[in-house]
Amino acid sequence: MSAAEVELVEQVVDTARYPLSDPASAAWRDAVHRARHDLREDGCSVLPDFIRPSRQEELRREGARIAPLAHYDVEVVNAYNIDTNTELPADHPARTTMTRGNAFVACDQIPPHSIIHRLYTSSLFKRFIAECVELPAVHELADPLAGLCLNVVRPGMDHPWHFDTNEFAVSMLTQEPEAGGIFEYCANIRSASSENFADVRAVLAGDGEQVIRRLALRPGDLQLFKGRFSLHRVTTVQGREQRHSAIFAYSERPGVIGSVARTKQIFGRVLPEHLAAEGRAVRGDRLLD
């Protein structure tokens, strides 16, 4: 670890609760234990005020400055992010379509000196995340656009029900809306061996209230989430303020680059790295998305 990394952690992270540079401490063990327990039981863990309250306004301003750079598009999608024209049985949940109108600022548009960018590349932060998700290590994506991004949801828009491609997700709200923008999820509604289409179909039809959980996240909270197996969405943002959240994308293995189709969908562009990597993706399961 470098002195600059330690300085960053000391300045922006609440090190009394999350001492990233001291894995032998009781506070480190407590934070990791709680995150592991939450992920095993609920598929989701929230570490409140991970960013010091005194730095949360800076965090918000940094996100607000780059939010206008987000690629914005309105698309008709399904929960599996597959082509909506795919031939499927009549009762398949992927036949339920929704309008997606959120937007993303790509990694190459996020200043290297920003809090979220410096955290994303920090070996201390990555070591802590790996311990929480019970992996030997996590790696930054080799993808020059998707490794770190800022998700922007404008007033009147939402992020509809979907599954993630990665088994786990790491995110942090940087700006909360005046109302709405609630994170909802169905913990472990599917597994690596079972799609559980019946329950997914029920949620998409509006009949899954009994399995839906809700989180009102706050700026500076760190969220760890098993989005590969838990159907989730962000409800419609209301009021005048946008909802901004940083997404720290890591992988169990190095060298991961997103597909051309998904990259174009999210960022509106692809780079030579995506074209060169096309067709080399290795999946850890055979789930639809």
Side-chain angles (χ1 to χ4, degrees):
M1 77 184 72
S2 68
E5 283 189 77
V6 175
E7 181 181 13
L8 167 70
V9 166
E10 293 294 333
Q11 289 179 348
V12 304
V13 176
D14 182 350
T15 50
R17 301 168 73 179
Y18 315 108
L20 302 195
S21 60
D22 188 9
S25 65
W28 163 285
R29 292 193 299 271
D30 288 346
V32 168
H33 174 77
R34 180 161 59 86
R36 288 182 174 185
H37 174 270
D38 292 347
L39 288 169
R40 289 171 183 167
E41 295 296 317
D42 303 322
C44 182
S45 181
V46 177
L47 283 62
D49 284 329
F50 188 83
I51 300 298
R52 294 180 183 275
S54 62
R55 303 300 293 269
Q56 290 174 12
E57 175 57 22
E58 179 183 352
L59 181 76
R60 188 201 65 79
R61 289 198 306 267
E62 289 180 348
R65 279 196 292 268
I66 61 175
L69 301 175
H71 170 68
Y72 179 83
D73 194 14
V74 176
E75 296 179 289
V76 176
V77 298
N78 53 45
Y80 301 92
N81 289 301
I82 62 172
D83 190 335
T84 55
N85 294 317
T86 302
E87 291 189 14
L88 297 166
D91 64 345
H92 197 290
R95 283 187 171 273
T96 300
T97 58
M98 301 157 284
T99 301
R100 183 181 74 86
N102 63 341
F104 293 88
V105 179
C107 186
D108 64 354
Q109 297 173 304
I110 299 176
H113 62 269
S114 64
I115 290 174
I116 59 173
H117 205 299
R118 293 168 66 195
L119 268 181
Y120 178 64
T121 59
S122 166
S123 62
L124 299 177
F125 186 64
K126 287 183 285 189
R127 180 177 63 182
F128 179 73
I129 296 299
E131 288 290 333
C132 289
V133 299
E134 300 187 67
L135 290 173
V138 296
H139 302 273
E140 299 168 40
L141 299 196
D143 192 309
L145 301 183
L148 168 70
C149 59
L150 185 78
N151 177 230
V152 177
V153 186
R154 298 176 178 179
M157 306 305 293
D158 66 339
H159 194 170
W161 290 113
H162 66 286
F163 291 103
D164 292 340
T165 301
N166 291 343
E167 183 171 336
F168 67 92
V170 182
S171 62
M172 179 182 292
L173 195 72
T174 65
Q175 177 172 288
E176 61 184 336
E178 294 176 19
I182 303 299
F183 183 83
E184 297 186 341
Y185 70 106
C186 307
N188 299 315
I189 197 171
R190 70 176 183 177
S191 68
S193 59
S194 173
E195 289 277 12
N196 193 13
F197 288 138
D199 284 350
V200 173
R201 184 167 54 247
V203 172
L204 298 180
D207 298 326
E209 182 63 29
Q210 70 278 6
V211 299
I212 297 175
R213 305 182 187 187
R214 294 176 174 85
L215 288 176
L217 299 167
R218 300 177 303 166
D221 292 351
L222 182 67
Q223 182 185 17
L224 309 177
F225 180 61
K226 289 189 174 180
R228 181 79 178 137
F229 306 119
S230 298
L231 188 67
H232 55 289
R233 71 174 179 179
V234 174
T235 64
T236 302
V237 168
Q238 303 169 14
R240 293 171 296 177
E241 297 294 333
Q242 299 177 346
R243 183 187 191 272
H244 299 162
S245 58
I247 301 174
F248 307 88
Y250 297 111
S251 175
E252 296 181 49
R253 63 187 190 280
V256 171
I257 295 179
S259 71
V260 169
R262 191 71 178 272
T263 301
K264 185 69 179 293
Q265 179 190 46
I266 295 175
F267 300 110
R269 58 192 169 106
V270 296
L271 299 177
E273 291 89 337
H274 300 101
L275 299 174
E278 188 72 350
R280 299 207 309 262
V282 177
R283 301 297 293 272
D285 56 56
R286 302 184 67 179
L287 294 172
L288 186 57
D289 168 56

